[in-house]
Amino acid sequence: MLEIDLDRRRVQVRRLEDGKSWWEHFDQLHIATGADAIRLDLPGGDASGIHAIRTLQDGIDLRREVDEKKPQHAVIAGGGYIGLEMAEGLLARGIQVTLIQRSSHVMKTLDPNMAAPIADALRKAGVELYLDEPLRGFETKGGTVRAVVTDERTLPTDLVVVAIGVRPNSQLAQQAGLALGEEGAIRVNERQQTEVEGVWAAGDCVESFHLVSRRPVYVALGTVANKQGRVAGINLGGGYATFPGVVGTAITKFQDLEIARTGLQEREIQELGWAYVHDTIESRTHAHYYPGAAPIRVKILAEAESGRLLGGQIVGGKGSAKRIDILATALHAGMTAEEVAYLDLAYAPPFSMAWDPVHIGARMAKKKV
Amino acid sequence: MLEIDLDRRRVQVRRLEDGKSWWEHFDQLHIATGADAIRLDLPGGDASGIHAIRTLQDGIDLRREVDEKKPQHAVIAGGGYIGLEMAEGLLARGIQVTLIQRSSHVMKTLDPNMAAPIADALRKAGVELYLDEPLRGFETKGGTVRAVVTDERTLPTDLVVVAIGVRPNSQLAQQAGLALGEEGAIRVNERQQTEVEGVWAAGDCVESFHLVSRRPVYVALGTVANKQGRVAGINLGGGYATFPGVVGTAITKFQDLEIARTGLQEREIQELGWAYVHDTIESRTHAHYYPGAAPIRVKILAEAESGRLLGGQIVGGKGSAKRIDILATALHAGMTAEEVAYLDLAYAPPFSMAWDPVHIGARMAKKKV
């Protein structure tokens, strides 16, 4: 698609085979243009050996290069979800990994005290980690990357993965005159309709409504895109469905360390100017006397006075991270920390403690309300 | 404690060392007498080699007998939580296990279609399984059990575990004149107070309030007992706390098969006379292309018309069962199946599908509302 003409309700399309283009009328239009990996315009940035990971093909290309060129060393720029996954994958292939992070801690969607054990795990796995060091450029030779440059150092490398996030692919919508939100994603209502009737949008190109902050938010995640796509499809087909919104849930892992978050983190709550309390507890994934129990750290954030749950973060061993769904569900329901502390959660020694770590976290946070 | 005299607010106690007994005055009394394993009065039932598993000492005694007498064959009466755990434990010690079950399916707290894969797993693990065969008695020789007798057959054995449930140990309370519920457990209010002021009770000897059926229920589980004990303790000490009630959550496993349930099962809903819908779906614990994905079966029950979630059951491989906490939390919140279908649950390929199996189950059940 080349252009959207909302007034005449038509789109200009081009057939890739022969380059021929024409205008096509629409009754209903669905925009699902997704997101692109952010690529910085840096010196040497177009050299070969530099990868951004967004599509399946990106992954295939990276794997092929690893298989063929057998790089000894890789630098990953960005310690978020993709950066961590890439670190795990490259380490598993015997490649030495250096990770540079623009800000002061990896996994910026978690608070610093929850990100600390992740940095520890990266270092323990042999990752050379440099925090507070934004990517400044690349040294190249013969069109191939040779080193990554930060303010502090030059890191010789055979391979670079730039994993510094995505941005909505919303140019088409913008050129058509559709409203975009602060982060450049398309504004939609609960039915996934843009401000123009019969023009729908869903997935990584749109804004979502955050049920905790009660503000629009940009979340580019597959599970959200799936739900929104379903809602848009039902409405586009003449049915009726609404997407209730998100609470900011996300999950990943680095080797044996599971990581999850939901709701608002401290930085987000501070930006809203809300008064809050929080506590972080250490427990075990299940009864200590049953084999396989691992440490788990749970952080709970709640609104001061009301005690309303605002968010939670979990970092720990096997069996830790999916517990975030308890907190995500509680956020949807608008529960207080007190209510979470007495939920009838499943307990048996292979699965939990009599007080689930989530109970304990909620109880401790509640004490501060 | 021998007796409670509520009128004079005193209890008769006996010192075990010398058998001396006397009356002790109380201002506040806490009754935490727990539960006992149900023992049937059957021919040969007091023979050695017959075990009920309730206390730590019961477990130690059973293990000692296994270590010392090296039984070749064990019969377990009862296919509930304890029966399944015992089957797993005895199989792990190389003992041939036969399990007899009074009713038509094991794990009666699940519906038949969810219990079927558990029976399959038992048989696959080598357990000889007899359904619809209540325990009728024992054959003994020289005071030791030699066989278990049902209506259908006589099962020669060296060892018997009777795991047919527990009943509240509420005789003391009953003799004192305190009200008991239908299942013989002590009636308490939200603060864990009995009908007499300053007399509290908590744990396996009391009734709980079921938030879905809105009726009293008897649940003898450690996590419930812990929460009630905390509430009773706070109140007894002059503070204020309430126990919100239970939703009927329970979890166990047999070898690699994880099992969980919450809310009301079909039988319970039918007894209430409520109109309901349900669906059972098959999915995978996480993305099929990520190693370790296992089958998972999820059943969701919802009220007809309103769509209110009434219960859920999960049976599947590693990573399945703790997902029940999503449904438990949703039951606390009074959510509909529709709301569950759009919860912002955590997704990444090592942890889930883009639509969590719980989403899918809720969506399919909702279609029938």
Side-chain angles (χ1 to χ4, degrees):
Chain A
M1 205 184 291
L2 299 171
E3 200 184 327
I4 301 171
D5 178 352
L6 292 171
D7 292 335
R8 301 169 73 174
R9 296 188 82 81
R10 58 179 195 166
V11 295
Q12 195 184 10
V13 295
R14 184 171 60 198
R15 187 160 55 205
L16 294 177
E17 288 84 351
D18 57 8
K20 192 169 171 262
S21 74
W22 66 92
W23 287 92
E24 193 84 62
H25 170 80
F26 67 81
D27 294 316
Q28 305 273 330
L29 177 66
H30 183 53
I31 304 173
T33 43
D36 284 325
I38 296 172
R39 286 167 195 266
L40 304 174
D41 189 19
L42 293 173
D46 54 359
S48 85
I50 302 175
H51 296 258
I53 303 298
R54 176 69 194 158
T55 64
L56 267 183
Q57 192 56 48
D58 291 337
I60 292 166
D61 291 347
L62 174 63
R63 193 171 58 184
R64 187 185 301 121
E65 185 168 318
V66 166
D67 287 342
E68 287 173 5
K69 301 200 177 162
K70 306 205 187 315
Q72 301 293 301
H73 194 270
V75 174
I76 298 169
Y81 298 91
I82 302 297
L84 257 58
E85 284 183 16
M86 286 298 120
E88 178 175 339
L90 294 170
L91 286 169
R93 285 167 178 266
I95 298 169
Q96 241 190 295
V97 174
T98 300
L99 197 150
I100 62 170
Q101 167 80 19
R102 180 176 51 169
S103 53
S104 61
H105 66 279
V106 294
M107 287 304 290
K108 275 193 63 182
T109 56
L110 273 70
D111 293 329
N113 73 316
M114 297 300 286
I118 306 168
D120 292 346
L122 285 164
R123 291 195 183 99
K124 208 176 146 193
V127 174
E128 222 174 291
L129 184 61
Y130 297 109
L131 301 173
D132 282 318
E133 292 197 25
L135 177 63
R136 294 299 184 203
F138 305 94
E139 288 182 3
T140 62
K141 190 176 173 187
T144 298
V145 71
R146 297 294 300 273
V148 165
V149 181
T150 74
D151 291 337
E152 306 290 327
R153 72 203 83 228
T154 296
L155 295 157
T157 190
D158 315 312
L159 182 70
V160 177
V161 177
V162 181
I164 54 176
V166 299
R167 69 178 133 222
N169 198 344
S170 52
Q171 299 91 319
L172 254 182
Q174 187 176 27
Q175 284 158 12
L178 289 171
L180 304 186
E182 271 178 44
E183 296 190 68
I186 303 166
R187 287 241 153 107
V188 290
N189 66 15
E190 291 81 353
R191 296 184 69 196
Q192 297 300 133
Q193 189 173 270
T194 67
E195 51 185 354
V196 176
E197 207 183 318
V199 179
W200 314 86
D204 291 359
C205 62
V206 308
E207 272 187 345
S208 300
F209 185 75
H210 197 301
L211 293 166
V212 184
S213 72
R214 300 168 191 141
R215 282 162 175 73
V217 66
Y218 178 57
V219 175
L221 290 175
T223 180
V224 174
N226 261 274
K227 295 188 193 95
Q228 292 177 338
R230 186 165 195 277
V231 167
I234 289 170
N235 288 317
L236 189 151
Y240 181 86
T242 56
F243 177 65
V246 300
V247 296
T249 312
I251 191 169
T252 190
K253 77 183 199 55
F254 173 73
Q255 295 181 346
D256 292 334
L257 191 69
E258 300 186 357
I259 303 157
R261 60 95 70 213
T262 192
L264 305 173
Q265 65 188 124
E266 288 204 50
R267 179 168 47 75
E268 293 170 307
I269 303 171
Q270 287 159 6
E271 281 165 13
L272 290 164
W274 294 358
Y276 69 103
V277 299
H278 64 90
D279 207 343
T280 302
I281 65 99
E282 313 269 349
S283 182
R284 311 284 291 175
T285 50
H286 62 249
H288 65 92
Y289 53 82
Y290 193 91
I296 179 174
R297 181 183 289 199
V298 178
K299 179 169 190 169
I300 302 283
L301 304 112
E303 192 171 44
E305 305 300 329
S306 76
R308 177 169 69 106
L309 182 70
L310 294 179
Q313 296 162 41
I314 299 177
V315 175
K318 211 159 180 54
S320 294
K322 263 299 241 181
R323 282 178 155 104
I324 204 73
D325 287 345
I326 301 164
L327 296 170
T329 306
L331 285 171
H332 273 270
M335 286 185 183
T336 62
E338 165 91 16
E339 287 171 317
V340 173
Y342 282 98
L343 287 173
D344 189 10
L345 304 177
Y347 161 65
F351 293 103
S352 184
M353 323 268 285
W355 292 92
D356 194 278
V358 167
H359 283 135
I360 303 172
R363 217 171 67 193
M364 298 312 288
K366 179 229 144 189
K367 279 194 184 171
K368 300 188 172 178
V369 168
Chain B
M1 206 184 291
L2 299 172
E3 200 184 328
I4 301 171
D5 178 352
L6 291 171
D7 292 335
R8 301 168 74 172
R9 296 187 82 80
R10 58 180 195 165
V11 295
Q12 194 184 11
V13 295
R14 183 170 61 199
R15 188 160 55 204
L16 294 177
E17 288 85 349
D18 57 8
K20 192 168 170 265
S21 75
W22 67 92
W23 287 92
E24 191 84 60
H25 170 80
F26 67 80
D27 294 315
Q28 305 273 329
L29 177 67
H30 183 53
I31 304 173
T33 43
D36 284 325
I38 296 173
R39 287 166 195 266
L40 303 174
D41 189 19
L42 294 172
D46 54 358
S48 84
I50 302 176
H51 297 257
I53 304 297
R54 175 70 193 158
T55 63
L56 268 182
Q57 192 57 48
D58 291 337
I60 292 166
D61 290 347
L62 174 62
R63 192 170 58 184
R64 186 185 301 121
E65 184 168 318
V66 167
D67 288 342
E68 286 173 5
K69 301 200 176 162
K70 304 203 188 315
Q72 301 293 302
H73 194 270
V75 174
I76 299 170
Y81 299 92
I82 301 297
L84 258 58
E85 284 183 17
M86 286 297 120
E88 178 175 340
L90 294 170
L91 286 169
R93 285 168 178 266
I95 298 169
Q96 242 191 295
V97 174
T98 300
L99 197 150
I100 61 170
Q101 166 80 19
R102 180 176 50 169
S103 53
S104 61
H105 66 279
V106 295
M107 287 304 290
K108 276 193 64 183
T109 57
L110 273 70
D111 293 330
N113 73 315
M114 297 300 287
I118 306 169
D120 292 345
L122 285 164
R123 291 195 183 99
K124 210 177 145 191
V127 174
E128 221 173 292
L129 184 62
Y130 296 109
L131 300 173
D132 281 318
E133 292 197 25
L135 176 63
R136 294 299 183 203
F138 306 94
E139 288 184 3
T140 62
K141 188 175 175 185
T144 298
V145 70
R146 297 291 302 271
V148 166
V149 181
T150 74
D151 291 337
E152 305 291 327
R153 71 202 84 228
T154 297
L155 296 158
T157 191
D158 316 312
L159 181 71
V160 177
V161 177
V162 181
I164 54 176
V166 300
R167 68 178 134 221
N169 197 343
S170 52
Q171 299 92 319
L172 255 182
Q174 187 176 28
Q175 284 158 11
L178 289 171
L180 304 187
E182 269 179 47
E183 294 189 71
I186 303 166
R187 287 241 154 107
V188 290
N189 67 15
E190 291 82 352
R191 296 185 68 197
Q192 298 298 136
Q193 189 172 270
T194 66
E195 52 186 353
V196 176
E197 208 183 317
V199 179
W200 314 86
D204 291 359
C205 62
V206 307
E207 272 187 346
S208 299
F209 185 76
H210 197 301
L211 292 166
V212 184
S213 72
R214 301 168 190 140
R215 283 161 175 74
V217 66
Y218 178 57
V219 175
L221 289 176
T223 180
V224 174
N226 261 273
K227 295 189 193 93
Q228 292 177 338
R230 186 166 195 276
V231 166
I234 289 170
N235 287 318
L236 189 152
Y240 182 85
T242 55
F243 177 65
V246 300
V247 295
T249 313
I251 191 169
T252 190
K253 76 184 198 55
F254 173 73
Q255 296 182 345
D256 292 332
L257 192 70
E258 300 186 357
I259 303 157
R261 60 97 68 214
T262 192
L264 305 173
Q265 65 190 123
E266 288 203 51
R267 181 169 45 77
E268 292 169 309
I269 303 171
Q270 287 159 6
E271 281 166 12
L272 289 164
W274 295 358
Y276 69 102
V277 298
H278 63 91
D279 207 343
T280 302
I281 64 100
E282 312 270 348
S283 184
R284 310 284 292 175
T285 50
H286 62 248
H288 65 93
Y289 52 82
Y290 193 92
I296 178 173
R297 181 182 290 199
V298 178
K299 179 169 190 169
I300 302 283
L301 304 112
E303 192 171 43
E305 305 299 329
S306 77
R308 177 168 70 105
L309 182 70
L310 294 179
Q313 295 161 42
I314 299 177
V315 176
K318 213 163 178 51
S320 294
K322 263 299 242 180
R323 281 178 155 104
I324 205 71
D325 287 344
I326 301 165
L327 296 168
T329 307
L331 286 171
H332 273 270
M335 285 183 184
T336 63
E338 165 91 17
E339 287 171 315
V340 173
Y342 282 98
L343 287 173
D344 188 11
L345 303 178
Y347 161 65
F351 294 102
S352 185
M353 323 270 284
W355 292 92
D356 194 278
V358 167
H359 284 135
I360 303 172
R363 218 170 68 194
M364 297 312 289
K366 178 227 145 192
K367 279 193 183 170
K368 300 188 173 178
V369 169

